[in-house]
Amino acid sequence: MTSVTNASRKVLSRGDRVFSRTAVVSGSMILVILAAVAVFLIVQSLPALVADSESASILTTNFWGYVGPLIFGTVWAAILALAIALPLSIGIALFISHYAPRKLAQSLGYLIDLLSAVPSVVYGLWGILVLAPALRPIYVWINEYLGWIPLFGGVVTGTGRTILTAAIVLAVMILPVMTAISREVFLQAPKLHEEAALALGATRWEMIRMSVIPFARPGIVSGAMLGLGRALGETMAVAMVLSATGNVTFELLTSDNPSTIAANIALTFPEAYGENVNVLIATGLILFIVTFIVNAVARWIVSRQNAKAGA
């Protein structure tokens, strides 16, 4: 009996070692792949950093003059999408976790998860065929009554394919992941804190504001940064919906729209040659760096929130 037990322990111990090493190798592969991508982007980008309009036909002056408006368009579209999606995701998550009946909450949870499975091309088709024509009269109304605000000024486009339309499509695309993360974090809020707040006479909203949201703030930030990262790198939907001119402008309703790095690469790469390819890869490197900075800032914010909660 003792020998059988010892043999079982040896087998279990060997299995633990194999599993541990496999997990370490799998985790290390992430770093290896990330490093390989970074090396490829850097090596291929070096010729573009010193290129000019004579060596690369897509440049008008130099690389930084070319990528500057693209950085602005990428960040601007992502910020607009996040501003639209964040309050909606928090509201939907709170409704599912604390207000909706159980069966309705389960059904809504399934529907939100299904939105994540919709391909970006479908979102792009919906945006260009349905959303843009539907928003055009609304844009005219906004321009007529709120045109004194710089964001809504200018001449309204006749197609509805503006940076605001692209941002709405991006908001719908990032809404599921942000809602799912917020919902799970809200459900993990300490029940004793919620019951104590209700016992002291707080309304349901006061209980959520005092007990649930402070506990869930790091998770909300994580979900927002994850959605922002997807919005920064989204390609097909933006390329299909946005009628871009490549200019730097904050106006949301005109046909003069900035482009994004990912959409510009998708639209320009098929006809690129020579150093033009290196220029596009260099813009991809810039997007890689921007996304890395966003994730680093998100990690710092979450760590700071966790430290405050622990204190």
Side-chain angles (χ1 to χ4, degrees), residues 85-125:
L86 182 58
L88 287 176
S89 64
I90 294 175
I92 295 172
L94 284 174
F95 178 74
I96 293 174
S97 61
H98 286 82
Y99 286 94
R102 183 161 185 165
K103 291 184 178 180
L104 179 59
Q106 290 178 347
S107 300
L108 288 176
Y110 294 147
L111 291 176
I112 292 296
D113 294 336
L114 282 176
L115 285 176
S116 302
V118 177
S120 59
V121 175
V122 176
Y123 282 113
L125 290 173

Side-chain angles (χ1 to χ4, degrees), residues 16-119:
D16 287 343
R17 289 198 299 270
V18 171
F19 178 79
S20 176
R21 291 171 183 173
T22 303
V24 171
V25 172
S26 300
S28 301
M29 285 299 296
I30 298 176
L31 299 177
V32 173
I33 294 172
L34 188 63
V37 171
V39 170
F40 166 77
L41 291 175
I42 292 172
V43 171
Q44 294 294 322
S45 300
L46 291 178
L49 301 179
V50 295
D52 53 24
S53 58
E54 295 182 359
S55 57
S57 59
I58 61 175
L59 298 180
T60 54
T61 54
N62 55 32
F63 171 73
W64 298 109
Y66 177 77
V67 76
L70 296 176
I71 296 175
F72 168 80
T74 301
V75 176
W76 183 227
I79 290 175
L80 290 173
L82 184 64
I84 297 170
L86 182 58
L88 287 176
S89 64
I90 294 175
I92 295 172
L94 284 174
F95 178 74
I96 293 174
S97 61
H98 286 82
Y99 286 94
R102 183 161 185 165
K103 291 184 178 180
L104 179 59
Q106 290 178 347
S107 300
L108 288 176
Y110 294 147
L111 291 176
I112 292 296
D113 294 336
L114 282 176
L115 285 176
S116 302
V118 177

Side-chain angles (χ1 to χ4, degrees), residues 98-270:
H98 286 82
Y99 286 94
R102 183 161 185 165
K103 291 184 178 180
L104 179 59
Q106 290 178 347
S107 300
L108 288 176
Y110 294 147
L111 291 176
I112 292 296
D113 294 336
L114 282 176
L115 285 176
S116 302
V118 177
S120 59
V121 175
V122 176
Y123 282 113
L125 290 173
W126 169 72
I128 193 173
L129 297 177
V130 178
L131 186 63
L135 289 177
R136 202 262 173 187
I138 299 176
Y139 289 166
V140 172
W141 184 88
I142 293 175
N143 178 261
E144 182 178 355
Y145 292 98
L146 299 176
W148 52 273
I149 301 176
L151 291 176
F152 306 127
V155 179
V156 178
T157 179
T159 62
R161 298 172 59 186
T162 69
I163 189 69
L164 181 57
T165 305
I168 294 174
V169 173
L170 286 177
V172 175
M173 295 180 67
I174 66 178
L175 187 66
V177 63
M178 295 172 59
T179 302
I181 294 176
S182 299
R183 177 190 63 198
E184 295 302 320
V185 176
F186 290 153
L187 290 173
Q188 293 175 8
K191 296 299 181 183
L192 291 177
H193 292 184
E194 297 180 9
E195 293 172 357
L198 293 173
L200 291 174
T203 63
R204 181 173 295 186
W205 164 241
E206 290 173 337
M207 176 271 293
I208 290 173
R209 182 168 56 86
M210 294 185 297
S211 301
V212 177
I213 292 181
F215 172 83
R217 190 175 292 116
I220 295 173
V221 174
S222 299
M225 293 300 104
L226 190 61
L228 181 61
R230 183 179 180 185
L232 287 170
E234 179 53 43
T235 304
M236 289 308 301
V238 177
M240 295 173 68
V241 173
L242 184 61
S243 178
T245 59
N247 296 327
V248 176
T249 176
F250 287 95
E251 293 179 344
L252 302 178
L253 310 180
T254 68
S255 58
D256 189 16
N257 299 297
S259 184
T260 65
I261 293 177
N264 181 71
I265 293 174
L267 295 174
T268 310
F269 194 84

